Amino acid sequence: MNTELKDQYNKFKLIVEDDFVAVLHAKIEAQVSFLEKVEALQRKIAGERLKADLISDGLRKTCTYKRALLDLVEQRFELPERANFDSDFTSFNLHAEEYTDQLAEVVDLPQNIKRFEPQQGDSALLRFGKWWKRFFYTISKWPEKTRNGFRRLFKKQTVPLRPWRHRVRLRNLTTYYLKEKLPTELQVLLTRMYQDFSISSKVCWEVDSKIDRAFEAYLHGEEHAYIVDETIVARIHDVVAHLRKLKNELQEEADAIYTRIFEQYSTAYEKTGTIEISNGRFRSRKIKKQHRSLKSHYRSLVNGWNNTLLVLSDDWEIDLEIYVIIYTSLEVYYNTRENLKTRLEIVTSRKLNEIKSVLEDTRMHLRDHQKGEDLKELIKSELGNLRERLTPSLLPEANDLILAQDFPALVNNLESETDRLIQGISTRRSVMKGEAYDQPIRTNALNFVSPYELINFESWPLFQKILKSVKLSITDNLNEVQNDIIDVGQIAEFNLESALSLFDDDARSDDPARIAAEGIERTIEKVETISDKLKGLQQSIDDDLYRGLEKFNGSLIKFTNNENIYDIRVRIAKGKALDRSTRFKEKLVHNIRNFLPTVMIYIRTRYRKVAAFVMETSKKIGITGQQKDISTELADFLAETEKSIGKLPFVYQRLFRTDPLTDVNFFEGRKTEMLQLNNAYNNWTKGRFASVVITGEKGSGVTTLLNFFLNDLTTSSKVYRFSVEGHVETPTEMLSFFSLQFDSKFDTFDKLIVFLNQQKRVVVLENIQKLYLKRVSGFAALRLFSELISHTSKYTFWVVGGTRYAWEYLHKTINLSDHFSYHIPLKDFDNQAIVNMINKRHKVSGYNIRFEPAPSDLNQRKFKKLSDTEQQAGLRDSYFNNLNKIAKSNVSLALIYWLRSAKEITGNTIVIGSMKDKDFSFMNNLPANKVFALASLLFHDGMSEEGFCKVTGYSPGKARAVLQPMFEDGIIVLNKNEYQINPLLYRQTVSMLKMKNIIH
């Protein structure tokens, strides 16, 4: 090394160490930190003492480990931005430039004697050039040599020959070698570093796979032993130590490369500007070209390794995501099994044992009767006891308790949780065949798959079929059990009645006591059989669910093999292409075939519109008449709703009951309304006037919305909730109502105000439409209530619920809206929301659906030509279109119509009848007194006969003359001594009243 450059050597070496090697060390430390975190996770899960009797606990711990590991891997190997040397090594570039900028741009140096003499490695041309250089050098020095000759002659000191000099562009030379060529050579360190990153990450993956195998042995082994060899996890400690050692090795290799490049730089320093090396080699343009080459090589190398690590991590993450689904679904399964067992024990211990106890008491009384006792009276007494306790009470309670356990919902929870996990899985992962991961991968060589699409195409549909089958099996078995429970009472009563009949037979040969006792004994055996059936149901569900889950998990595990992924991708691509081709052909054929029918349909449609206009005009001017009376068939349809619904399976009735919801799984929409409610409460807590009224049609979900609002409400204030049942008309009645609800005596209005202003309260009052009667002086209670809100709003957060049409009437008559800061109307659902509500409930039942065509459908040739699948799709769409027109935002109405539309159950299929041909046009021809009666019932949400008389001024006899015919026709129903509009005619009634401008 040239001694003149020793200082440069030391200074630039510091730059290399601090700004290049240090960057690599930081990357290594990041990998070491990742490995240590992974090691901690894996050491913890490997050290767990999982117990054979707590498999669900083991699954929970393993799921927690998998999720934590997935988070670590995703964070460590996030897709980086494209590699750029200048941005990745900004400090190196900056300090290198600062260093070169302080150097002289050009230096003038004497040429070393070696620059004239041939050197090893010189080319023939260069040797020839050096001969001429020596020749000219000799000629150029003759004057100096002659002068020195005279000096020696006169005994004077000779003058040394002046050497030839060479000009060195030092700044460019230094930049070329130390700033550009050196980092290019140092990139070999990156290859070593990334290779070790890949190797160490694969070790963690391999350890994770070993833990999976140990856990598989724990799940499926006979002894459920969970054993992980500690030496496996210790491998990570070894690779961490190797990486720490790699830092020193990289430092040493970097020093060696630097020394070698600096030697080249030192040699060039001596040769540049001579015939050996031209200064032109280090021009700025060539330096820029060198820098572009450096960046290109760096980008290619680092992007390639980043792609390799990305593929490795994506492949690993696919495995982790799949095992999260597998272990979580298994955890839900084991919890489901325990819940099922607990719920079945509730049924058995609470009711079946109680039923059995009653029967055993009867059996004991019959067996222990004394000869002197009147046996006939004893049997009569026991029969009466059974008829009093068993048949009307215990047996229905047992069936209700079975329904209350909601067994299909347990399976639905497994389906919902698994579906949620699948929905959250990644939609884009890179994969490659083989698992080498030992070299950079070009970006254009990357292959991407969608794990979400793979699972939804290959695995999830099959598992859904199994779940549906299990739910259907549960429903069928429970229906059978419920029928058996009903039979229990009939068996017991029949045998006791048979025993009693023997007393009227003088020639009897059988002992009545024995007949009665044996009959009760058989009944007890029947109860035990029911208990055994419930246990068998649990075993069947356990086995079917487990087999289905194992099949599902087995299909998921296939995706951990990249070769399988490629095969499935090909099948998906073929399936999509075939599907697109088929749909295109079908559409083309359909368009060709239906061109003429489409024209004819257009002509018929226009004709019908014109005909309808002519008919309507004729009706208005009296040329033609409307339908006069409700048809007998329609009256039966309306009147026999409850009887028809009662024929459906218990489970189906429970799923579609119109009670306010408490199960969030069936809750749909209402996000905007819930947000408004919460905003109002937050404003009240800030001291603002924030009373709220929620309005909607009867059955649209006001109570459900309040259920979920109060359930999620976090407040230190005391919460009161009550509903006005009977009509409250006067101030005295209102004070009595609040006295009863607050369990305090309020003699005066002021006392009520003082009570409410004592502390913070949340008061929810439903059915505001019951606080008035539409008559003179009928608004006194409501006006007083409005005043109460004004005086107490600081300390009481008022939430009031009422029906939509009553609210509109009160707003227009007494400006009731002025007393509320927030009016939250329940908006209409979109069409899909109602369909989702029906489907969510039906899905839990496990039954199939078949839609029955209307007579008008069967008369259409186009309909007859369709395949069964196409017919069902068309009928389904038609049914829900009609249902949405009727229901709109009214959930209860939709559920009632759905249940009423269920015509019969054939095997596992529920047949849904069409609503297309139902003719409700008679509503438009009702006489005025009935129209106004319906309007009164709508405004007051139902009324008793007495209340109807107060509003209309009718006598009781005249009121009955109006209400009773409508009740017999099914237009109105009687519920808790109140006449209400038949839910099946609610929408038609509203439409009729709007058409007559009674409501708007």
Side-chain angles (χ1 to χ4, degrees), residues 164-206:
W164 278 8
R165 304 186 72 83
H166 63 113
R167 290 170 57 85
V168 178
R169 295 185 179 274
L170 180 61
R171 188 177 298 171
N172 282 5
L173 177 68
T174 307
T175 300
Y176 179 86
Y177 275 99
L178 301 187
K179 183 176 178 292
E180 306 301 341
K181 187 174 183 179
L182 174 62
T184 301
E185 297 294 325
L186 286 174
Q187 287 182 30
V188 69
L189 306 181
L190 294 171
T191 299
R192 281 199 59 190
M193 180 185 73
Y194 281 115
Q195 282 177 337
D196 283 359
F197 284 2
S198 177
I199 292 170
S200 59
S201 299
K202 282 179 64 179
V203 167
C204 293
W205 188 2
E206 290 168 2

Side-chain angles (χ1 to χ4, degrees), residues 701-718:
V702 173
T703 304
T704 295
L705 179 65
L706 291 172
N707 285 345
F708 289 107
F709 168 68
L710 293 177
N711 187 54
D712 296 336
L713 182 64
T714 302
T715 180
S716 59
S717 303
K718 193 168 183 180

Side-chain angles (χ1 to χ4, degrees), residues 816-942:
L816 185 59
S817 59
D818 293 345
H819 299 278
F820 293 91
S821 299
Y822 293 86
H823 174 210
I824 304 177
L826 297 188
K827 298 178 181 178
D828 289 352
F829 290 114
D830 57 41
N831 289 349
Q832 191 57 41
I834 293 293
V835 177
N836 290 342
M837 290 176 191
I838 299 293
N839 285 339
K840 279 183 178 180
R841 287 165 169 79
H842 177 80
K843 190 177 180 182
V844 175
S845 74
Y847 278 96
N848 298 318
I849 299 179
R850 185 166 185 82
F851 291 91
E852 185 180 67
S856 58
D857 294 321
L858 297 175
N859 292 330
Q860 295 180 11
R861 284 181 294 177
K862 178 183 175 182
F863 178 81
K864 293 178 180 179
K865 291 180 180 180
L866 297 176
S867 66
D868 183 68
T869 303
E870 291 171 331
Q871 287 181 356
Q872 286 299 304
L875 292 172
R876 181 185 186 279
D877 293 341
S878 175
Y879 178 87
F880 280 113
N881 285 336
N882 289 324
L883 182 63
N884 278 313
K885 291 176 183 177
I886 295 173
K888 294 184 179 177
S889 64
N890 201 313
V891 181
S892 296
L893 197 55
L895 299 181
I896 290 172
Y897 261 97
W898 178 262
L899 287 175
R900 189 63 183 91
S901 301
K903 298 188 65 174
E904 61 178 341
I905 300 175
T906 305
N908 299 329
T909 302
I910 293 181
V911 179
I912 303 296
S914 173
M915 296 192 298
K916 185 181 295 184
D917 293 337
K918 293 290 184 294
D919 183 8
F920 296 102
S921 61
F922 74 92
M923 293 289 293
N924 296 325
N925 200 38
L926 289 175
N929 59 344
K930 291 184 179 180
V931 171
F932 285 106
L934 290 174
S936 296
L937 295 179
L938 182 68
F939 285 136
H940 294 88
D941 190 20

Side-chain angles (χ1 to χ4, degrees), residues 657-699:
R657 62 188 178 187
T658 56
D659 296 344
L661 281 179
T662 56
D663 187 350
V664 72
N665 290 325
F666 295 142
F667 188 54
E668 185 81 17
R670 303 301 185 210
K671 293 181 180 179
T672 302
E673 291 88 342
M674 188 68 75
L675 181 61
Q676 290 176 302
L677 256 175
N678 286 315
N679 287 340
Y681 175 76
N682 291 334
N683 285 332
W684 176 73
T685 59
K686 296 173 183 177
R688 301 170 187 167
F689 184 72
S691 54
V692 180
V693 62
I694 306 172
T695 61
E697 289 186 346
K698 182 177 176 62

Side-chain angles (χ1 to χ4, degrees), residues 45 88 184 275 293 324 354 361 372 588 791 931 949-950 977 983:
I45 192 65
D88 292 348
T184 301
I275 63 172
S293 175
V324 165
E354 191 175 352
D361 288 344
L588 182 62
H791 286 302
V931 171
C949 291
K950 288 181 180 180
N977 292 325

